[in-house]
Amino acid sequence: MKSILVFLFVVATFTIKAQDYEVKNHNLIKYYKLINESENKIITNDLASANNLYKEAFKEFNYPHAKDLQNSMYVALRLKDWENAYYNYQSLKCLGKEFSVDFLSKNFINIERFKIKPCENKIDLQYKKNLDSLFEIDQYYRKLSGGNYQAYKKELTKSDSIASTKLLKLIQKKGFPNEYNIGLMSADNMFYQKFYYIIWHQLANNHYSSQKVNFSQEIIKALNDGKIRPDIAGQLFDLNNGTKDYSFFKIYQFTVNNEKADCCYISEAILPERRAAEVNVKIKEINRKRELIGLPTTEEEASKNIFFLNNKDYILSNIAIEGFNFRDSKEVEKFKKYLIKINDTTH
């Protein structure tokens, strides 16, 4: 009974799709392998190795993702590798990342001795403006509804259809948008772009607005061009296709009657000795699919997400804490029974 409850709660549904998405660009395959290794070194505080691995990775791919530039910068700063840190800082500035006014004075000494890196990328402001306007269409009735999407089902269906079909046409005309052509001005602190939400809302099992566009083919092309991170691609694949192919271990928090959240928990299956046989089979299949698109194992991702909770400088994956609100505290305890409080387990 215990293993069945864990399986139902954590996995919910699992669909094996005939199609496997795969990164076939050999330079990107090597890049992501080096990035995954460097992130594992960060978790174990082997920053010298992480620093070298980032340098090696950036030789494989000329357009490293913003999260990797930022992680490399903070590693270099902690090692007092000023020149490397400053180069990554300038790269992020070229992408439009905003830093606090005192960031330079707090983190760098005698910056005049370092070379100024010219910005080689050009931000397409009109493309960014068009994408932002589509995001406004996507969000308009969601904000107006106050969370009661059912009351605006007809309006959401229409606005989602407009936003998604126009986004597809833009992508087909101008290429998949990424940090190097639209910058970071429309991205959050995790470098998650606003237009990703338009793709998100084309989820296969959307109860309020039926799917008009499945973006999977555009995403896999962007993935092989290095224009989208594998962790974000995996999330959007699952949403667009109604699968659980790329995710297993999530972090949970609970509230009772919308009061203070109780965070953070993870399935006890994170510990191999607590797994039922069928859970091992699911995890093995998920890890196979994850590897094909350049992702670490789901166990490694869980370790990175746990690490991030107390180390906000580093962005190691597209972490999302899943929240549940209950009316009765007894119901919460039923869910917690097969979870582990993160502070109570080594990681």
Side-chain angles (χ1 to χ4, degrees):
M1 180 67 179
K2 174 179 174 180
S3 61
I4 293 174
L5 286 173
V6 173
F7 174 73
L8 290 175
F9 177 62
V10 181
V11 183
T13 58
F14 184 85
T15 305
I16 297 178
K17 301 285 284 187
Q19 182 174 7
D20 280 343
Y21 299 111
E22 183 177 2
V23 173
K24 296 181 179 180
N25 182 315
H26 294 295
N27 291 100
L28 280 173
I29 290 170
K30 190 170 182 180
Y31 171 78
Y32 290 130
K33 182 178 179 181
L34 290 165
I35 291 297
N36 289 333
E37 290 176 6
S38 63
E39 291 175 349
N40 289 336
K41 296 298 183 183
I42 289 173
I43 292 176
T44 59
N45 202 34
D46 184 358
L47 299 187
S49 294
N51 197 36
N52 290 330
L53 286 163
Y54 275 120
K55 290 177 181 179
E56 192 177 344
F58 295 165
K59 291 177 183 177
E60 293 295 329
F61 182 45
N62 293 328
Y63 303 97
H65 299 299
K67 84 169 181 69
D68 302 329
L69 289 169
Q70 178 166 296
N71 292 339
S72 177
M73 179 187 70
Y74 279 118
V75 166
L77 283 172
R78 285 163 173 76
L79 292 172
K80 299 183 179 180
D81 182 358
W82 308 117
E83 188 172 358
N84 185 39
Y86 191 61
Y87 186 88
N88 290 325
Y89 163 79
Q90 290 184 95
S91 297
L92 288 166
K93 288 284 287 184
C94 287
L95 296 179
K97 178 174 172 59
E98 295 184 357
F99 291 88
S100 61
V101 292
D102 61 347
F103 184 86
L104 276 177
S105 60
K106 285 175 62 177
N107 291 283
F108 293 95
I109 302 172
N110 300 326
I111 61 171
E112 62 275 4
R113 61 182 171 151
F114 304 124
K115 294 180 180 179
I116 300 296
K117 175 185 180 294
C119 295
E120 297 176 354
N121 61 296
K122 184 177 180 180
I123 305 301
D124 187 336
L125 294 176
Q126 185 58 51
Y127 196 7
K128 175 189 172 300
K129 182 179 179 180
N130 291 339
L131 292 168
D132 286 348
S133 68
L134 293 182
F135 175 72
E136 292 302 319
I137 293 173
D138 174 88
Q139 291 293 303
Y140 182 78
Y141 287 108
R142 286 179 169 83
K143 292 179 179 178
L144 196 64
S145 72
N148 183 15
Y149 296 158
Q150 186 64 41
Y152 287 85
K153 184 174 182 179
K154 183 178 179 180
E155 292 84 355
L156 279 170
T157 298
K158 183 177 180 180
S159 61
D160 281 3
S161 176
I162 292 171
S164 60
T165 53
K166 285 189 174 182
L167 175 60
L168 179 62
K169 288 179 181 178
L170 272 174
I171 291 173
Q172 291 173 338
K173 179 181 179 181
K174 299 180 70 70
F176 198 91
N178 81 325
E179 299 155 340
Y180 287 85
N181 64 355
I182 65 168
L184 296 171
M185 292 78 78
S186 294
D188 62 17
N189 291 334
M190 302 291 285
F191 304 121
Y192 198 89
Q193 297 280 359
K194 287 180 179 178
F195 79 89
Y196 292 153
Y197 288 100
I198 299 172
I199 301 175
W200 182 327
H201 295 146
Q202 290 301 297
L203 66 165
N205 58 350
N206 193 329
H207 300 299
Y208 307 103
S209 172
S210 59
Q211 186 183 79
K212 293 293 185 290
V213 179
N214 186 309
F215 286 91
S216 295
Q217 291 308 310
E218 301 301 328
I219 294 169
I220 191 59
K221 184 178 184 301
L223 190 60
N224 272 283
D225 290 338
K227 292 184 176 182
I228 189 171
R229 286 168 20 200
D231 56 315
I232 295 173
Q235 177 211 27
L236 296 177
F237 282 144
D238 275 345
L239 288 167
N240 270 203
N241 297 308
T243 58
K244 296 281 185 179
D245 287 349
Y246 300 98
S247 177
F248 192 93
F249 293 111
K250 294 183 179 181
I251 293 176
Y252 301 96
Q253 70 177 20
F254 302 94
T255 56
V256 178
N257 295 319
N258 293 311
E259 294 181 358
K260 185 178 179 181
D262 180 14
C263 190
C264 296
Y265 295 83
I266 198 164
S267 167
E268 66 175 11
I270 190 68
L271 305 174
E273 65 271 19
R274 302 279 188 94
R275 294 178 192 170
E278 64 268 30
V279 174
N280 265 324
V281 171
K282 304 302 179 185
I283 291 175
K284 184 177 180 180
E285 175 64 8
I286 286 171
N287 285 339
R288 183 187 71 81
K289 289 178 177 289
R290 289 176 64 88
E291 183 180 4
L292 289 176
I293 65 168
L295 285 171
T297 66
T298 189
E299 296 95 336
E300 286 178 313
E301 183 181 68
S303 295
K304 293 175 182 181
N305 288 341
I306 292 169
F307 177 83
F308 173 79
L309 295 175
N310 295 309
N311 299 273
K312 296 296 195 296
D313 282 348
Y314 297 110
I315 299 170
L316 306 181
S317 69
N318 179 37
I319 182 175
I321 297 176
E322 192 161 324
F324 293 89
N325 182 51
F326 293 87
R327 294 182 180 179
D328 187 347
S329 59
K330 292 180 180 178
E331 291 299 314
V332 179
E333 295 308 314
K334 290 180 182 178
F335 275 84
K336 287 183 184 178
K337 190 172 182 180
Y338 303 118
L339 301 177
I340 296 173
K341 182 83 169 177
I342 285 176
N343 289 341
D344 297 336
T345 185
T346 56
H347 50 272

